[in-house]
Amino acid sequence: MIRDYQAIQKTWFKKGQQRKIPTYGKNAGVKLIGILDYGTGKVYCEEHERYDAVVFERFLKCILEQYPTGKIVMILDNARIHHAKLLEPFLYENKNRLELVFLPPYSPELNLIEGLWGWLKSRIINNAFYPTLSRVSEAVQRFITHINKTPTEIIDRLCIKM
């Protein structure tokens, strides 16, 4: 979730002129679900009002459509929705194409997409003010579009080199 409230990140300002970031005290946010293709550096994200097993299943279907051939291995955290019983028939039906690999609990540093979310927040949310949630959403989409133009930068920044 990319929250609409602003965060102060390390920044420079003239002595005695501390930067002030306005806020409107709400707790809304842009809920994102996404993938980072380790091989190509391509990032694909969707925005949703809620994030549950139904949304996750639709997301998986979309990924299967985007990658119509070959096996897809998806690295996930242990969110409850990733283990929902609702998904079992779909996962069984697609077991030859889709494999879900779950990271150990409390290990976001092992999930490459977490690096992307941190990069996104650092670039567009921290030290910035957006007057509406739709502006946050627009900024997120601009960021994703921009980084997808340079997939090698994504790989260099986020992917582990062997």
Side-chain angles (χ1 to χ4, degrees):
M1 162 111 77
I2 308 301
R3 301 246 181 234
D4 67 346
Y5 57 80
Q6 288 60 47
I8 302 293
Q9 183 181 21
K10 58 186 171 197
T11 186
W12 294 99
F13 50 85
K14 288 184 180 181
K15 186 174 182 176
Q17 296 179 4
Q18 182 175 355
R19 186 169 184 186
K20 295 178 183 169
I21 309 295
T23 185
Y24 39 82
K26 296 181 182 175
N27 236 356
V30 175
K31 294 179 179 82
L32 298 173
I33 182 172
I35 61 163
L36 165 59
D37 184 323
Y38 190 88
T40 66
K42 179 185 174 194
V43 171
Y44 173 76
C45 292
E46 293 179 0
E47 184 180 330
H48 295 275
E49 287 185 26
R50 62 182 179 24
Y51 183 51
D52 59 18
V54 173
V55 169
F56 184 55
E57 183 176 351
R58 277 192 306 230
F59 178 75
L60 292 175
K61 288 177 181 175
C62 180
I63 298 305
L64 286 171
E65 289 172 9
Q66 287 191 25
Y67 295 89
T69 61
K71 179 124 181 160
I72 299 168
V73 178
M74 197 173 273
I75 309 298
L76 300 165
D77 61 20
N78 278 285
R80 286 190 327 196
I81 63 164
H82 298 154
H83 296 280
K85 289 197 181 292
L86 174 103
L87 297 172
E88 289 175 2
F90 173 78
L91 292 173
Y92 182 78
E93 179 183 314
N94 292 285
K95 66 182 178 189
N96 294 327
R97 294 238 19 250
L98 185 61
E99 181 181 349
L100 304 183
V101 176
F102 296 97
L103 293 171
Y106 307 105
S107 57
E109 71 282 357
L110 298 177
N111 194 344
L112 299 179
I113 200 80
E114 294 296 340
L116 174 71
W117 303 145
W119 183 11
L120 186 151
K121 289 175 184 178
S122 175
R123 260 304 183 54
I124 68 160
I125 295 296
N126 295 347
N127 300 330
F129 174 71
Y130 297 93
T132 64
L133 195 55
S134 64
R135 293 276 179 90
V136 175
S137 182
E138 291 167 9
V140 166
Q141 292 310 315
R142 277 194 309 274
F143 174 81
I144 298 299
T145 299
H146 172 73
I147 65 169
N148 269 327
K149 291 177 182 174
T150 55
T152 54
E153 180 184 2
I154 296 168
I155 292 170
D156 288 347
R157 184 174 183 134
L158 300 175
C159 298
I160 301 164
K161 293 154 187 70
M162 301 284 179

